Amino acid sequence: MRSPIPDYLNAVLEKVRPNEDGKPAQYIKTLANADTSKLAVALVMVDGNVYSAGDDQVEFSIQSISKAFVYAIAIEDAGLEHVLEKIGVEPSGDAFNKLSLHKGNNRPMNPMINAGAIAAHSLVVHPDATAEERTDRILKAMSRLAGRQLYVDEEVYEAELEDADRNMGIGYMLKAAGIISCRPAEVVKGYIRQCSINVNVRDLAMMAATLCNAGVNPVTGEKIMPADSVRQVLSVMTTCGMYDAAGQWVSRVGIPAKSGVAGGVIGALPGQVGIAAFSPKLNDRGNSVRAVALFEQLSRDMGFHMMDVSQIARASVSTSVAKIVAGKEEPHHPNCDRRVVIFALRGAVRFAGSERLARAIVRELGEPDPKDPGSGEHRDACAIVVSLRDAFSLNLVAKRVIHESIKRLLAEGKTVVVIDPNSVLQMDLDSLPTSQHPQIVENEKEAREYIGGTGCSAVTQSDNW
Ligand code: GLN
């Protein structure tokens, strides 16, 4: 059987292909002469699986999409605090190349418009670095993100440099405002070089997937940027990535994104999928017409909108009750013929999942509430089992809520057994008195035997107990 996904991607391409609106960027000669028939899309899953369709090998310059990644590099090299002193995070609602600074503090509004991106470029390596050092650093980092060696397209670079008065003007404005300290022309040249790096949609989707995968390239496994920087980058992509169309983009597509004037657009859906689309004709905001249409269609068809509320964390905890029974040959154990309550957590658990667990524990084991029939029914259970067998991960707050719930059960003198074969709980036992240690085991059998003695079994109405 063939996967339905490539067929679907081809169908979406054909759907947007007839759209002949827009025209390629005119102010860079090489882009003005681009083959406007080109059209491509790629998806990279966070486990590294790649799908692509259309002209997926055709290279084009990354242009403003580079701004998202160079912002991350600037954060790494100069520190977030310093970057925030120089560049804001507010959407500007202006065109990308507007000569504008925030009135109150003279900072560029955000790193996704040219003023902020040129400032971010100047923060790469260190303030006194040469243009070569900066562009070399950026090219290397972008290549690691894409998972292959990328190159600057010298023709595109020369073409943009020929007519770079506006960006040069922005550079001098930044110098006069005290935002950059180095020579404006050098910084702007470096910025134009960063925009002239060639990529195809598969490279871009891989770079986006690295963002989705908390900064780890999903194919090479290389950790390229810290998760905190990724969050910062995705935040500004969400609010500012599509320039003056950002609000419309968020409501219609709902994926953190960044576009470039060569016709590329990336989208990064955190924890799920990196997406890239390409077609050279642009709308009046400088975003590719067909790529925007493609993203709208993908988001609708595939439920990619980040504010999608159809998946509510309802099923993440299941509660069941089992009776521990000794085997025929086994000596009688005090817990035999007694009940245990099992709470099983599933999936990538965040606050909502851990809250459900805490609530379920209180309901089953707390005082009966007359308004809630059935509550407090298992107060006298001889043990509580928390099964994390099917929990893929716990985020920080989920860990804290679960640790605290376990500590409280132990403080009430309950026996708590945690099934945690993948060590997702990571409770800091060294800092706790032994009386507050839960028993951590690998599987159900070990849990049963700990509670009821060797060889005992469990009788239950539900699943594998
Ligand atoms: N190099 C281009 C510029 O500075 C990038 C703009 C863009 O892609 N929106 O004008």
Side-chain angles (χ1 to χ4, degrees):
M1 190 203 101
R2 248 186 21 200
S3 162
I5 296 165
D7 295 345
Y8 164 73
L9 291 178
N10 276 307
V12 183
L13 283 188
E14 293 322 312
K15 194 157 185 184
V16 304
R17 198 184 293 281
N19 191 335
E20 290 289 349
D21 294 348
K23 51 177 192 274
Q26 299 297 299
Y27 69 101
I28 303 174
K29 215 187 307 141
T30 318
L31 302 189
N33 295 331
D35 178 351
T36 57
S37 70
K38 297 295 181 218
L39 175 62
V41 64
L43 302 187
V44 175
M45 312 310 295
V46 285
D47 66 359
N49 203 28
V50 184
Y51 297 99
S52 59
D55 302 303
D56 57 355
Q57 302 297 330
V58 168
E59 295 198 352
F60 50 94
S61 49
I62 188 165
Q63 295 299 342
S64 282
I65 300 169
S66 65
K67 292 169 178 172
F69 301 104
V70 172
Y71 184 51
I73 302 171
I75 292 171
E76 189 175 339
D77 293 358
L80 179 59
E81 211 174 309
H82 186 62
V83 170
L84 291 174
E85 276 166 22
K86 300 286 181 190
I87 312 163
V89 289
E90 296 302 334
S92 68
D94 289 327
F96 65 85
N97 55 4
K98 177 120 192 240
L99 276 98
S100 63
L101 295 175
H102 191 282
K103 277 198 191 70
N105 52 28
N106 269 351
R107 284 182 319 195
M109 292 292 282
N110 68 65
M112 301 290 129
I113 53 169
N114 289 10
I118 293 169
H121 182 93
S122 81
L123 296 172
V124 169
V125 186
H126 54 74
D128 304 322
T130 62
E132 280 74 47
E133 282 172 323
R134 281 199 198 102
T135 46
D136 194 47
R137 160 100 172 95
I138 292 168
L139 189 58
K140 282 204 178 102
M142 301 266 215
S143 301
R144 285 160 64 214
L145 284 157
R148 72 171 183 119
Q149 182 62 50
L150 302 176
Y151 298 93
V152 170
D153 185 327
E154 296 294 343
E155 192 189 323
V156 172
Y157 171 67
E158 294 297 339
E160 185 168 353
L161 204 54
E162 233 172 73
D163 192 10
D165 300 340
R166 186 169 261 277
N167 281 332
M168 287 293 176
I170 292 175
Y172 286 98
M173 174 186 73
L174 291 170
K175 179 76 187 281
I179 298 294
I180 63 173
S181 52
C182 32
R183 288 180 35 221
E186 285 304 298
V187 177
V188 173
K189 280 186 191 165
Y191 159 76
I192 293 176
R193 262 190 109 62
Q194 109 189 14
C195 290
S196 307
I197 294 172
N198 264 1
V199 286
N200 59 37
V201 276
R202 293 170 69 94
D203 298 325
L204 284 181
M206 189 64 71
M207 296 167 89
T210 302
L211 295 177
C212 305
N213 196 34
V216 177
N217 179 306
V219 169
T220 65
E222 193 187 350
K223 175 108 194 151
I224 299 176
M225 55 180 85
D228 284 357
S229 306
V230 172
R231 198 179 72 174
Q232 183 71 15
V233 171
L234 291 174
S235 305
V236 292
M237 282 168 68
T238 305
T239 51
C240 318
M242 301 301 277
Y243 313 119
D244 35 345
Q248 196 182 49
W249 178 269
V250 172
S251 60
R252 290 173 73 111
V253 180
I255 301 173
K258 187 72 207 84
S259 66
V261 282
V265 179
I266 62 164
L269 194 59
Q272 292 195 54
V273 58
I275 310 164
F278 163 66
S279 200
K281 285 190 182 176
L282 310 180
N283 59 24
D284 53 6
R285 263 100 181 240
N287 299 324
S288 163
V289 173
R290 286 176 175 156
V292 169
L294 246 154
F295 266 92
E296 288 184 356
Q297 188 72 37
L298 285 177
S299 176
R300 263 199 308 275
D301 293 346
M302 304 182 101
F304 279 166
H305 199 295
M306 64 184 163
M307 302 299 175
D308 185 45
V309 284
S310 60
Q311 300 253 304
I312 296 175
R314 263 188 203 129
S316 57
V317 181
S318 68
T319 306
S320 54
V321 177
K323 195 155 92 174
I324 296 291
V325 200
K328 273 208 196 77
E329 317 300 327
E330 303 305 325
H332 187 72
H333 185 281
N335 282 336
C336 282
D337 274 345
R338 294 190 56 202
R339 271 171 304 150
V340 296
V341 190
I342 305 127
F343 299 99
L345 269 161
R346 238 171 246 285
V349 183
R350 300 194 284 184
F351 173 69
S354 65
E355 183 273 342
R356 282 181 185 276
L357 174 70
R359 195 169 359 142
I361 291 176
V362 171
R363 182 175 189 276
E364 301 298 328
L365 302 160
E367 288 303 311
D369 174 356
K371 290 199 287 292
D372 179 12
S375 61
E377 209 174 311
H378 302 297
R379 277 190 328 289
D380 58 345
C382 69
I384 292 106
V385 177
V386 176
S387 175
L388 301 174
R389 192 193 61 190
D390 297 324
F392 173 70
S393 60
L394 309 181
N395 78 355
L396 210 60
V397 65
K399 276 184 201 152
R400 285 171 66 179
V401 172
I402 297 171
H403 292 177
E404 194 54 37
S405 303
I406 290 174
K407 277 197 237 165
R408 288 175 186 212
L409 285 170
L410 290 164
E412 286 179 8
K414 307 262 199 252
T415 299
V416 180
V417 183
V418 181
I419 303 174
D420 188 11
N422 308 313
S423 304
V424 292
L425 183 66
Q426 294 173 335
M427 203 158 164
D428 180 15
L429 296 180
D430 293 344
S431 67
L432 296 171
T434 336
S435 64
Q436 287 183 26
H437 286 198
Q439 180 70 16
I440 299 182
V441 299
E442 290 274 316
N443 51 44
E444 284 77 3
K445 179 170 182 285
E446 280 180 30
R448 273 193 312 264
E449 296 196 339
Y450 175 78
I451 299 165
T454 314
C456 86
S457 55
V459 185
T460 172
Q461 292 90 338
S462 61
D463 61 39
N464 44 13
W465 274 75

